[in-house]
Amino acid sequence: MTATALDRLLAKTTPGPNGCIIFTGSTIEGYGQIFVDGRRELVHRVAHLLLVGEVPEGLKVTHSCHQEDTACPGGKTCLHRRCINPAHLAVADQATASRGGRSRSGRNAAKTHCPQGHPYDAENTSRSKDGARNCRTCHRERARTWKAQARQRAVSREVELRETFAALYAAQQGFVTGVVLAEVRDRNFALAEDLTADAFIRAWKAWPACRATTDAQRKAWLRTIARHTVIDYYRVKRNTAETATDPTAWQYANQPVEQEGGCFSVRSGRHLTPA
């Protein structure tokens, strides 16, 4: 940067209150801006660099005149943002600058306790990814509250499921018995009662996922479960009967599957040779 930048900077100034030197050129977010070496720079940083000295890396230039003027509300209309008086310029890190400001972030940074009165000390403070402070005590209390509410909702849900299923059982027991009785062989009433109980056990296990809302939908849902219960009963009975009538079914149960010259069928005991 050359003296030309300083000349251009001073050419756009006017005296302000309390000794401020106000930049009258273009602004961004209330801060004056100027092009230096083809780059857009904030005028108070340029003024500090030309009139005071280099700004250390990681630090920012602040306006002491703004901190002293308690009547100034801050924000984009704040005249102190455009002040380039070197006596009013100071460098500070982001945390210090925020604590001294009167913006929302500045007011929050100046707080020493959370809204519930817990201290913002090293042990009780955590920071989110955006740098915001969080109270560990409040976080733990919220977590306990959420868990208690979740347990209460789970209990209420369980009670609701039991009550609605009890009403469903009372209303549809006869219907399910009729469906089962129509499917069983020889009109076996004792078997139909057992399979009806099995069907309702299956229905209870599937009840939390049931989306049927009308009486017709629930009947169709129960009819499907009842029919599958009967089908599964006869399938298991048939497979059991086939195994029991095969005299060699268990003779080779403990034999190795692989044998010299081929394989044995564990179920029938027959010797299987490769084709």
Side-chain angles (χ1 to χ4, degrees):
M1 288 180 288
T2 65
T4 304
L6 180 59
D7 293 338
R8 291 191 291 114
L9 182 62
L10 296 177
K12 296 181 178 181
T13 58
T14 186
N18 302 320
C20 290
I21 301 176
I22 306 301
F23 180 74
T24 58
S26 64
T27 62
I28 178 172
E29 298 294 323
Y31 294 99
Q33 59 179 350
I34 188 174
F35 280 91
V36 180
D37 296 336
R39 295 179 56 185
R40 180 180 297 171
E41 301 284 353
L42 297 178
V43 294
H44 60 286
R45 288 185 63 89
V46 175
H48 188 282
L49 179 62
L50 295 175
L51 301 175
V52 180
E54 293 282 348
V55 180
E57 184 177 358
L59 300 183
K60 63 181 299 183
V61 179
T62 63
H63 294 90
S64 60
C65 51
H66 175 69
Q67 312 301 338
E68 295 171 359
D69 187 1
T70 57
C72 178
K76 298 179 182 180
T77 60
C78 173
L79 283 178
H80 303 107
R81 289 191 175 189
R82 291 185 281 154
C83 177
I84 62 170
N85 186 341
H88 295 177
L89 304 178
V91 293
D93 56 29
Q94 180 62 48
T96 303
S98 297
R99 285 194 295 271
R102 285 190 292 281
S103 61
R104 177 181 297 179
S105 60
R107 293 193 299 269
N108 289 336
K111 294 177 180 178
T112 59
H113 290 72
C114 77
Q116 306 304 322
H118 307 128
Y120 278 135
D121 53 25
E123 181 179 356
N124 189 50
T125 305
S126 63
R127 290 191 177 272
S128 56
K129 292 182 179 180
D130 60 357
R133 295 181 298 178
N134 299 304
C135 175
R136 296 182 186 273
T137 301
C138 289
H139 177 75
R140 287 192 295 268
E141 291 179 354
R142 286 193 298 268
R144 284 193 291 266
T145 300
W146 293 336
K147 289 181 179 179
Q149 292 174 347
R151 287 193 295 268
Q152 184 60 40
R153 287 194 297 268
V155 171
S156 300
R157 173 64 175 167
E158 181 69 18
V159 171
E160 180 184 2
L161 286 174
R162 290 181 180 276
E163 290 178 349
T164 55
F165 189 79
L168 178 72
Y169 178 82
Q172 305 299 340
Q173 181 184 12
F175 169 75
V176 173
T177 302
V179 173
V180 172
L181 191 60
E183 298 289 336
V184 299
R185 302 166 187 171
D186 303 327
R187 307 287 289 181
N188 190 330
F189 288 95
L191 177 60
E193 290 180 353
D194 292 341
L195 294 181
T196 298
D198 291 342
F200 273 107
I201 291 174
R202 289 188 177 191
W204 166 248
K205 292 179 180 179
W207 183 238
C210 178
R211 295 296 179 265
T213 56
T214 65
D215 186 64
Q217 290 174 343
R218 289 175 178 173
K219 280 188 174 182
W221 181 70
L222 288 171
R223 182 186 295 110
T224 301
I225 293 177
R227 287 177 173 175
H228 285 186
T229 301
V230 176
I231 291 171
D232 290 345
Y233 167 78
Y234 282 113
R235 180 185 295 115
V236 172
K237 183 177 180 181
R238 181 179 64 252
N239 293 339
T240 304
E242 290 178 357
T243 303
T245 56
D246 189 344
T248 62
W250 303 105
Q251 182 178 355
Y252 298 96
N254 296 323
Q255 293 292 333
V257 175
E258 298 291 337
Q259 300 289 340
E260 292 184 2
C263 301
F264 278 96
S265 169
V266 174
R267 178 167 181 172
S268 66
R270 291 191 297 271
H271 186 220
L272 307 178
T273 56

